């Protein structure tokens, strides 16, 4: 084989290793994403393998191999991202290109160091591990939106988002509120005020309202919701015809979340009818305005006012009400953490869905957005 053929083969092999690591270890396959950036924490190993295989070549030959491998990597990732998603990969590709060149520079320096095989191997292992950790820290920051300011979002819910430590009240008080991950993520997005009554604690002026599968509301509570929205307020309402939210107490215990939506009078007033999910339907992913959401046994809105806009086969709707706007979601399980949380849970850039980001964008529409966002593989037509 000629020297040029050997260079191209090794460059292609390094790019293939990087692509495979990103697809399998980086989480692209498991998460249903084609983000080029997910391969960033893993580029240290393929660049190290490449420069090691060319360690006896001249500096110019080594860097030609590094550049060629990067071009192959970027070309394949571009084709995959454009073919399988509806997002723009360019910023992520630029990040990968910079990361590849920096990693290659460090790897080449280590290989040419020549201070003993054991020490070189140790430094190389340290480099790969350190790059992996630093890459994930960087991605976590780039995928994380800024915290919103301004009036707090008012949250009214019947879901067990607080006091989730157990059944013993004394133990719960001693342990603290032990908030559900949903509350923690909402608070990380902006100010939140949890209330038990909208009559006693109306939403702040300029703020938004999040109603997540509440318990039975008094007529004056329903009137307060309608008046807030019609007066120009923003609201997101999760109303589940048959929730699958896990219960911690015996069936019939009032501490459990409501089994079905108790907002029918309000929805009727707005010209909306919610029907239960078809028998046997469980989890499904849907795309709403560029965000990937995961639903669980979501109901459909069989009747909507003419001005409403339906999404996800009428499982989600946006309706103008008076001078305001309300988003209706036929699924309270949308908030259930295992449906959207990252794996591991602290890694929001490895999230399973855009649920909390989508929710935050509707509750705090003026908040800054994250620099990077997931590129989800396109869903089949429903």
């Amino acid at each position: 084989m000629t020297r040029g053929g050997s260079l191209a083969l090794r460059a292609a092999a390094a790019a293939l290793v990087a692509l495979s690591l990103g697809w399998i270890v980086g989480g692209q396959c498991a998460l249903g994403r084609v983000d080029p950036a997910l391969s960033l924490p893993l580029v240290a190993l393929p660049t190290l393998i490449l420069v090691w295989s060319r360690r006896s070549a001249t500096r110019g030959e080594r860097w030609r191999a590094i550049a060629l491998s990067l071009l192959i990597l970027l070309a394949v990732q571009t084709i995959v991202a454009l073919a399988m998603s509806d997002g723009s990969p360019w910023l992520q590709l630029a990040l990968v290109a910079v990361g590849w060149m920096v990693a290659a520079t460090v790897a080449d320096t280590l290989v040419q160091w020549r201070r003993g095989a054991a020490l070189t191997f140790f430094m190389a292992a340290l480099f790969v591990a350190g790059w992996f950790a630093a890459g994930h820290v960087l991605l976590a920051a780039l995928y994380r939106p800024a915290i919103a300011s301004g009036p707090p979002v008012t949250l009214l819910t019947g879901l067990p988002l607080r006091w989730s430590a157990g059944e013993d009240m004394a133990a719960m008080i001693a342990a603290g509120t032990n908030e559900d991950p949903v509350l923690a993520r909402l608070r990380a997005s902006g100010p939140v005020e949890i209330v038990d009554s909208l009559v006693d604690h109306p939403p702040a002026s300029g703020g938004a309202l999040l109603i997540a599968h509440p318990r039975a509301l008094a007529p004056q509570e329903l009137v307060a919701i309608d008046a807030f929205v019609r007066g120009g307020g923003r609201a997101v309402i999760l109303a589940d015809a048959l929730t699958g939210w896990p219960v911690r107490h015996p069936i019939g215990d009032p501490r459990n979340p409501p089994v079905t939506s108790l907002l029918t009078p309000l929805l009727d007033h707005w010209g909306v009818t919610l029907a239960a999910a078809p028998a046997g339907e469980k989890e499904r992913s849907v795309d709403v305005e560029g965000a990937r959401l995961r639903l669980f046994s979501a109901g459909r809105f069989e009747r909507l006012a003419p001005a409403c806009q339906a999404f996800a086969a009428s499982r989600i709707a946006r309706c103008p009400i008076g001078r305001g706007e309300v988003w209706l979601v036929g699924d309270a399980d949308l908030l259930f953490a295992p449906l959207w949380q990252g794996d591991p849970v602290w890694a929001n850039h490895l999230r399973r869905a855009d649920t909390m980001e989508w929710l935050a964008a509707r509750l705090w529409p003026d908040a800054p957005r994250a620099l990077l966002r997931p590129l989800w593989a396109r869903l089949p037509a429903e």
Side-chain angles (χ1 to χ4, degrees), residues 60-352:
E61 290 175 333
R62 295 197 306 274
W63 280 100
R64 280 195 293 273
I66 291 169
L68 180 57
S69 63
L70 175 59
L71 289 176
I72 296 172
L73 174 63
L74 295 180
V76 175
Q77 289 192 326
T78 299
I79 293 171
V80 170
L82 294 179
M84 296 182 62
S85 79
D86 296 319
S88 172
W90 309 119
L91 183 58
Q92 296 199 25
L93 290 170
L95 180 65
V96 171
V98 172
W100 184 272
M101 296 306 292
V102 172
T105 300
V106 177
D108 188 60
T109 301
L110 281 175
V111 169
Q112 298 300 317
W113 192 29
R114 304 184 188 281
R115 295 293 181 90
L119 182 58
T120 300
F121 178 82
F122 172 77
M123 294 301 294
L126 188 63
F127 163 57
V128 172
W131 184 276
F132 179 81
H136 278 290
V137 170
L138 176 62
L139 291 184
L142 295 177
Y143 279 91
R144 183 188 304 119
I147 299 177
S149 58
V153 165
T154 300
L155 170 60
L156 178 66
T157 183
L159 301 174
L161 305 186
R162 293 181 297 176
W163 302 107
S164 56
E167 298 186 10
D168 184 86
M169 182 61 70
M172 290 160 60
I173 294 174
T177 58
N178 192 23
E179 294 182 342
D180 188 271
V182 170
L183 266 181
R185 281 289 291 113
L186 281 175
R187 295 191 193 281
S189 300
V192 177
E193 182 180 359
I194 306 172
V195 301
D196 296 318
S197 169
L198 294 176
V199 174
D200 298 332
H201 304 281
S205 176
L209 181 59
L210 174 58
I211 302 176
H213 202 62
R215 306 186 190 283
L217 299 178
Q220 56 266 37
E221 300 276 358
L222 301 177
V223 170
I225 296 171
D226 181 66
F228 170 75
V229 177
R230 289 187 184 277
R234 302 184 312 278
V236 177
I237 297 180
L238 279 60
D240 204 319
L242 184 63
T243 181
W245 197 279
V247 296
R248 300 189 181 95
H249 310 288
I251 300 299
D253 193 308
R255 292 173 294 180
N256 289 327
V259 175
T260 188
S261 172
L262 302 175
L263 292 171
T264 300
L266 178 64
L267 298 182
D268 284 343
H269 182 61
W270 288 342
V272 175
T273 300
L274 175 64
E281 180 173 303
K282 295 297 182 182
E283 183 181 326
R284 79 166 47 239
S285 296
V286 299
D287 288 333
V288 180
E289 294 190 337
R292 175 64 51 87
L293 308 180
R294 292 176 72 191
L295 309 175
F296 187 86
S297 188
R300 296 173 185 258
F301 296 103
E302 288 187 336
R303 180 172 64 102
L304 288 168
C308 294
Q309 182 181 6
F311 300 88
S314 295
R315 296 179 180 89
I316 298 173
R318 177 174 57 191
C319 297
I321 306 291
R323 300 197 311 272
E325 178 183 83
V326 60
W327 279 88
L328 301 172
V329 182
D331 184 28
D333 304 321
L334 174 81
L335 298 182
F336 189 47
L339 292 178
W340 54 263
Q341 233 174 8
D343 185 17
V345 295
W346 54 265
N348 185 53
H349 60 292
L350 298 178
R351 58 183 178 265
R352 301 173 185 274

